[in-house]
Amino acid sequence: MRIDVLGVGFDNVTMAEAVAEGQRLLNTEGVHYVATPNPEIVEVCREDPEARAAVNGANLVLPDGIGVIKGAAILGTPLKEKTPGIEFAGRLMEKMAVEGKSLYLLGAKPGVAEEAGARLAAKYPGLRIAGTHDGYFKEDAPVVEAIRLSGADCVFVCLGAPKQELWMAKNGKSTEARLLCGLGGSLDVFAGRVERAPEFWSRHGLEWFYRLCREPRRIGRMMKLPLFLIHVKQERGRRK
């Protein structure tokens, strides 16, 4: 059963449970996809029915960030823990490396996916990089075909939300990959171009503030967090 937070249904799982489910999906016939919404994306989904349908249509919906956890708690339907997409991806790659699975990297600026692929292959011996493509493309079909021909087991789709969720919902089956994961700006981190917040900041739910300090231009996007909390409290009032 999913926990509803302002119209987005989150799977109530620990990180270990999320990774186990991701691994199960990787070894299950058919095509599946994972969404990792944060409060900003929940706000987008409130206003955009197509985006909401794409997120809720995922086989696994993980709360990326402390804001969603706090929102669920305020609504009286707590989630077990935050499961950041980039951490989920890292643990999933550990499992994939053991099984010799292949990964396709899609997104970011030209050259970033290739850098990320080289670093990930070195970090996770046994993980096969099936191919890469930047996020600056106009036609889906050639990219979908490239992924299909690569024979990738898994695709990290890093196009930013909700574009990546809409892309996976539309094109997932045609890629013939077992699992697609929407992971926002993760490729920049995997490539070493962007640093994640130190553990202290992340552990105390302040990763968003660390990123804001490093990238003040994000202030417009960060303003979605207080708006999200306002809407959560309004929803709590309606549920009483």
Side-chain angles (χ1 to χ4, degrees):
M1 182 180 295
R2 287 182 169 176
I3 302 296
D4 183 286
V5 179
L6 301 182
V8 174
F10 289 89
D11 288 288
N12 191 17
V13 292
T14 64
M15 178 62 80
E17 291 168 340
V19 174
E21 178 60 9
Q23 191 176 15
R24 187 190 71 80
L25 293 171
L26 261 173
N27 289 284
T28 301
E29 288 290 335
V31 177
H32 320 86
Y33 69 97
V34 180
T36 58
N38 58 19
E40 179 187 350
I41 307 313
V42 174
E43 282 297 306
V44 170
C45 289
R46 287 185 70 254
E47 304 294 333
D48 186 338
E50 190 178 4
R52 183 167 63 248
V55 170
N56 286 332
N59 300 85
L60 190 58
V61 182
L62 304 176
D64 188 314
I66 195 65
V68 174
I69 301 300
K70 289 187 178 297
I74 290 170
L75 291 170
T77 52
L79 289 159
K80 292 178 181 177
E81 63 183 31
K82 66 174 182 176
T83 51
I86 195 164
E87 292 179 20
F88 167 79
R91 298 194 190 190
L92 184 64
M93 284 187 286
E94 290 177 0
K95 305 292 186 183
M96 291 175 62
V98 172
E99 297 182 356
K101 300 286 189 185
S102 59
L103 174 66
Y104 195 102
L105 303 175
L106 172 62
K109 294 180 180 178
V112 174
E114 289 88 342
E115 290 176 28
R119 289 169 66 103
L120 293 174
K123 184 174 182 178
Y124 302 102
L127 177 68
R128 295 182 293 117
I129 303 300
T132 64
H133 198 291
D134 64 67
Y136 291 73
F137 57 90
K138 294 182 179 180
E139 299 292 331
D140 289 346
V143 178
V144 171
E145 183 66 2
I147 295 171
R148 189 186 69 79
L149 291 175
S150 77
D153 298 301
C154 183
V155 186
F156 286 175
V157 183
C158 303
L159 302 175
K163 182 178 179 180
Q164 63 198 16
E165 287 77 21
L166 294 167
W167 196 92
M168 292 188 294
K170 177 185 176 184
N171 299 298
K173 287 184 179 180
S174 298
T175 68
E176 298 183 8
R178 289 284 179 85
L179 185 66
L180 298 93
C181 304
L183 296 171
S186 296
L187 288 184
D188 289 308
V189 177
F190 292 145
R193 295 197 178 193
V194 172
E195 279 188 43
R196 282 202 72 197
E199 185 180 351
F200 173 86
W201 296 75
S202 181
R203 189 170 66 248
H204 289 82
L206 294 170
E207 191 166 7
W208 63 272
F209 186 64
Y210 177 86
R211 293 179 70 186
L212 179 59
C213 290
R214 297 292 296 269
E215 302 177 70
R217 60 186 174 79
R218 296 176 63 89
I219 185 66
R221 294 175 59 183
M222 292 299 183
M223 290 308 295
K224 289 285 180 69
L225 181 56
L227 184 62
F228 167 80
L229 292 174
I230 290 171
H231 289 146
V232 164
K233 290 179 179 179
Q234 290 175 340
E235 177 62 20
R236 181 182 63 179
R238 283 193 288 268
R239 291 186 184 184
K240 286 183 177 180

